[in-house]
Amino acid sequence: MPAFAGHDRLNIPMLFTLAHLSDPHLAPLPEPRWQELINKRVTGYINWQRRRRFIHDPAVLAKIVADLQAHAPDHTAVTGDIANIGLAEEFVRGREWLESLGTPDTVTYIPGNHDAYVRAAVHDLERCWGDYMRDDDGAGGFPFVRRRGPLALIGLSTAVPTAWGLATGRLGKAQCARLGDTLAALARENIFRVVLIHHPPVSRARWYKLLTDSAQFLHVLSAHGAELVLHGHDHLHMINWLSGPNGTRVPAVGVPSASAAHGRAKNAAAYNLYRIDGMPGAWRCELISRGLDRAGEVAEQMRVTIYG
Ligand SMILES: [Fe+2]
């Protein structure tokens, strides 16, 4: 059995802490130039002014991030939607926010539908945040793989520009095929595989918010498995146990938006900590969810044993 970076010199497994937050939707929205509103952004801008700006509170996000950093995770995964309508200035501010969270070595990002809101935003996404979304060898594209301690983080993109009124996501055949190959290869390494995806593989959301090729994604997981799938998008606490190979189950866990003010969304802001140790065939993984309480403080809300 190989020794992992997460084992000490006597090959005794050490605890690795992975933090997961999602959908920070940075506020306030920068003032758009009129040229930036001659497309789908117009409806997004109106939606922001009417509704979303009352939900996503930068003071709440700052509290969540401060609490997360006080817990000193070994690594932090962010599963999309830093931006709101994909304005150029949102990517500049998003870069500053990512850097405040950590370096590209300690933070992994994957994009959400609000980051790829329009075609023009896709270029800014790669240019401004690309080094948080790369393979260990520096290669871009999806899926990418990053090894940290006993983990392999597998980053996917479901972020494709869509028509007006749609918040759907899509992996595509090529990405699903590469994901299958990647999961199979990592399974042979006996490593704890964490798949990062913005859209939930299983959701009760309306049709215009769903992952359109979720059946293909579930098929890949049923063939090759994964130890954990982390997602955002629905802005809810979610746990679904998906089918893996040979009767195994794959936990898919979602978190609320990290900036959701109390009383303004179904679930107030929260983030999850995963404390992982053990070894292949005998992993231990505990989920600790911390979120905003009625008093506006961040406190533990739930503990779930995922493995062990
Ligand atoms: Fe979102």
Side-chain angles (χ1 to χ4, degrees), residues 64 67 237 268-271 289-293 296-301:
I64 290 286
D67 192 82
H237 287 291
Y271 73 98
S289 193
R290 296 183 60 82
L292 202 66
D293 62 18
E297 299 305 319
V298 180
E300 185 174 320
Q301 294 180 324

Side-chain angles (χ1 to χ4, degrees), residues 19 31 40 64 66 71 107 114 119 141 178 207 227 289 293:
E31 199 53 48
K40 182 187 168 185
I64 290 286
H71 284 78
V107 176
H114 280 265
R119 210 170 288 270
R178 287 195 298 272
W207 66 272
E227 279 58 53
S289 193
D293 62 18

Side-chain angles (χ1 to χ4, degrees), residues 38-216:
I38 52 172
N39 49 32
K40 182 187 168 185
R41 288 193 189 109
V42 172
T43 47
Y45 183 68
I46 294 168
N47 198 10
W48 175 265
Q49 294 295 351
R50 278 192 182 162
R51 193 176 65 86
R52 297 176 68 97
R53 71 189 170 106
F54 301 110
I55 297 172
H56 300 291
D57 182 343
V60 167
L61 179 61
K63 277 189 179 178
I64 290 286
V65 168
D67 192 82
L68 182 153
Q69 290 178 327
H71 284 78
D74 295 297
H75 197 81
T76 300
V78 186
T79 49
D81 280 3
I82 288 176
N84 296 291
I85 57 173
L87 298 170
E89 181 62 19
E90 288 190 275
F91 290 96
V92 175
R93 295 185 189 181
R95 174 75 197 195
E96 290 168 4
W97 180 79
L98 275 171
E99 287 180 358
S100 75
L101 197 58
T103 63
D105 270 354
T106 59
V107 176
T108 297
Y109 190 70
I110 57 152
N113 53 298
H114 280 265
D115 302 320
Y117 206 69
V118 292
R119 210 170 288 270
V122 176
H123 174 70
D124 286 334
L125 173 64
E126 166 57 30
R127 185 172 57 84
C128 294
W129 306 343
D131 48 3
Y132 287 85
M133 308 188 282
R134 294 230 194 292
D135 259 18
D136 284 327
D137 62 8
F142 300 93
F144 62 79
V145 177
R146 302 176 135 202
R147 288 174 170 78
R148 298 290 184 276
L151 313 187
L153 297 154
I154 301 121
L156 299 176
S157 176
T158 57
V160 285
T162 55
W164 299 55
L166 295 185
T168 51
R170 186 170 173 274
L171 287 162
K173 274 187 186 169
Q175 192 178 183
C176 277
R178 287 195 298 272
L179 174 64
D181 295 344
T182 301
L183 289 173
L186 291 169
R188 290 192 287 274
E189 289 185 34
N190 290 323
I191 201 163
F192 193 100
R193 299 164 296 174
V194 184
V195 175
L196 307 176
I197 182 169
H198 179 70
H199 288 77
V202 175
S203 170
R204 290 185 175 179
R206 307 277 294 274
W207 66 272
Y208 56 85
K209 292 185 175 180
L210 299 178
L211 179 64
T212 57
D213 50 3
S214 60
Q216 286 83 346

